[in-house]
Amino acid sequence: MSKRIDVEHLKVYYGDFLAVDDITMQIEPRAVTAFIGPSGCGKSTFLRTLNRMHEVIPGAYVEGKVNLDGENLYAKGVDPVRVRSQVGMVFQRPNPFPTMSIRDNVLAGVKLNSRRIARSDADELVESSLRSANLWNEVKDRLDKPGSGLSGGQQQRLCIARSIAVRPDVILMDEPCSALDPISTLAVEDLINELKAEYTVVIVTHNMQQAARVSDKTAFFNIAGTGKPGRLIEYAPTQEIFNKPQEKATEDYVSGRFG
Amino acid sequence: MSIATTSSKLIGRQAPRWLPLLIGLCALILGAALSALIGFSIGLWAVFAGLIFVIAGPVVVGMLEGSRKGKDAFARYLIYGAFLLALIPLVSVIWVVLGRGVPGLSGNLLGTSMNGVSGVTDNEAAQGGPAYGGAYHAIVGTVMITFWATLMSVPIGLLTAVFLTEYSDSNRAFRWMGRVITFLVDVMTGIPSIVAGLFAVALFVQVLGDPSARFGFIASIALSVLMIPTVVRNTEEMLKIVPNELREASYALGVRKWRTITKVVIPTAMSGISSGVTLAIARVIGETAPILVTAGFVASINFNAFSGWMTTLPTFIYYQIMNPTSPTNPQVSEDRAWASALILIILVMILNLAARLIAKIFAPKTGR
């Protein structure tokens, strides 16, 4: 269920603008990898290239390779839709479908693809997904109520349940807790810890304590200045990044001194 | 109470809540007096009363509460005035149509056509005999022609809007096409309805090679020329306000673009789209000129939009007023015309309610 990702010399463009320059890194399966770095350094942009969401933006493209267990996502003829069903994504702001109930939101990945699913299987899938997202006990009595009626933290966990329900190999999370209060954040972090038993998890975060708490490996991205491309500065086990970083920039950033 | 409040530093002097009513009353009385000086008429009275209301209100509030509140009150009283002004035509139209239409409304009017009804029958009706003849054929014509027009315009308009919002950014050729389409839709918005009618006739005369080709479907074509730009414009706006996050959420689940559009984007925008479609229908259902040149005018019932002339409610009303069935007793025809006008308004209202219902079913759900 869990796959490794090998990125080779990846360059990410928005039209003519080079946003992220020459990234090479290996993301381990059954582990949590955190991306940290200042705003605008390309962490989210890079994250979106890992499930080909980057090219949804008009004019955006990449050069280089992203191998998912050895298969290049950007090889000729690869269907981005298939990639996305294997590499799920959770966004910064919770975005449950407003026209659907909680149950339908969880089943969205199945139903929107009009795959037939027996009612009992659907019930099972809803329960198992919501249980893995630590949301089942809170919503089991109101599965037919709209998903937008939940609190922000519950909505975000609903979105995670929705991603899990399509059984991906990798889950990408783009600042999943930035819109949540500390209690909901804790719930999501616990969840991330459980998810890594089965999935490859990649998380972008601005919160360094969060990166330290949840991740096994951490990648630090930085940008030389406005208009310059973002680069991967240092990639190492989280302990090392926070305790004895090799690069000066990393040390400045994680200790709160920069510039 | 006012004495107690002035002692607070946070609460300034406040005008009493019944002040607008008092000023309105004074404005009515003063307006009546002023207009009586010149020569009383209801119109003049309303103008004077309105002017006094909009000027005196802010002045009084300004003296009581200070100049900032006075300016605020000026805007507020202007809105009250504009609201009443806007209400006048609406209420008077409904009032007049109800008053003159309800007496003519009968099972006969709703259930029979004008077939065989002549000046003789109308003269007898005017002398106390039974009134024959009705608008059934016109109701049928309106429904059929509008139905076909809607059936053509909504898919074309919806798909055009989907192309413009979802696809026209994806490559250079599409971008160029999108710009051309937007331009053409803008041009279409400004086409006068009679021109649309003449276009439809000319088209069918060319296609069928029959210079006298007139039937309901030609009218539907003319109406859809008028409807499509409205539907496109409105749907485009509605699709644009669907947050991009929902599209991305759907893509991230491995859902294809087309299914994302049909299952996520359109349902989310459905309430706005349906009310836009209703507005477009309401706009064309009252068209008269393009119907006359495309579908002709008959007194008998015709359900088939693809052959034979058809009458719609607006053309029926027009003919009943301009060419009364019995020129010596036009009253009977006028009753029919007013009742038909009432039916037309009711039809549009039913459409509106239907759109509300659709909007409610599809609206993003709230509540816990």
Side-chain angles (χ1 to χ4, degrees), chain B residues 261-343:
Chain B
I261 293 167
T262 52
K263 299 275 176 167
V264 175
V265 179
I266 292 180
T268 307
M270 195 60 196
S271 58
I273 293 173
S274 72
S275 71
V277 168
T278 323
L279 276 181
I281 296 175
R283 194 200 144 188
V284 299
I285 205 170
E287 284 293 348
T288 318
I291 308 285
L292 281 177
V293 296
T294 51
F297 182 79
V298 281
S300 56
I301 302 163
N302 178 9
F303 274 97
N304 186 357
F306 295 93
S307 102
W309 289 16
M310 256 186 173
T311 302
T312 62
L313 283 166
T315 53
F316 180 69
I317 295 167
Y318 174 76
Y319 268 94
Q320 288 296 315
I321 295 285
M322 299 308 287
N323 297 318
T325 315
S326 159
T328 45
N329 285 307
Q331 187 56 43
V332 184
S333 281
E334 276 174 24
D335 280 352
R336 287 194 201 106
W338 282 105
S340 307
L342 184 59
I343 295 171

Side-chain angles (χ1 to χ4, degrees), chain A residues 48 53 56 58 79 81 84-85 89 91 93 95-99 109 112-114 142 145-146 148-149 162 166, chain B residues 169 175 245-257 259 263-264 267-268 362-368:
Chain A
R48 288 166 63 94
M53 283 296 284
V56 170
D79 181 356
V81 173
R84 289 177 204 140
S85 63
M89 189 162 197
F91 296 84
R93 282 205 356 216
N95 51 4
F97 297 122
T99 53
L112 293 182
N113 281 319
S114 74
R142 46 172 180 164
K145 295 276 159 49
S148 45
R162 185 173 69 183
V166 296
Chain B
D169 264 351
R175 248 196 302 283
E245 295 160 10
L246 295 182
R247 295 185 182 93
E248 292 195 339
S250 178
Y251 295 152
L253 293 172
V255 180
R256 294 194 181 278
K257 184 162 187 170
R259 296 203 69 88
K263 299 275 176 167
V264 175
T268 307
F362 280 95
K365 296 176 177 62
T366 49
R368 276 142 212 273

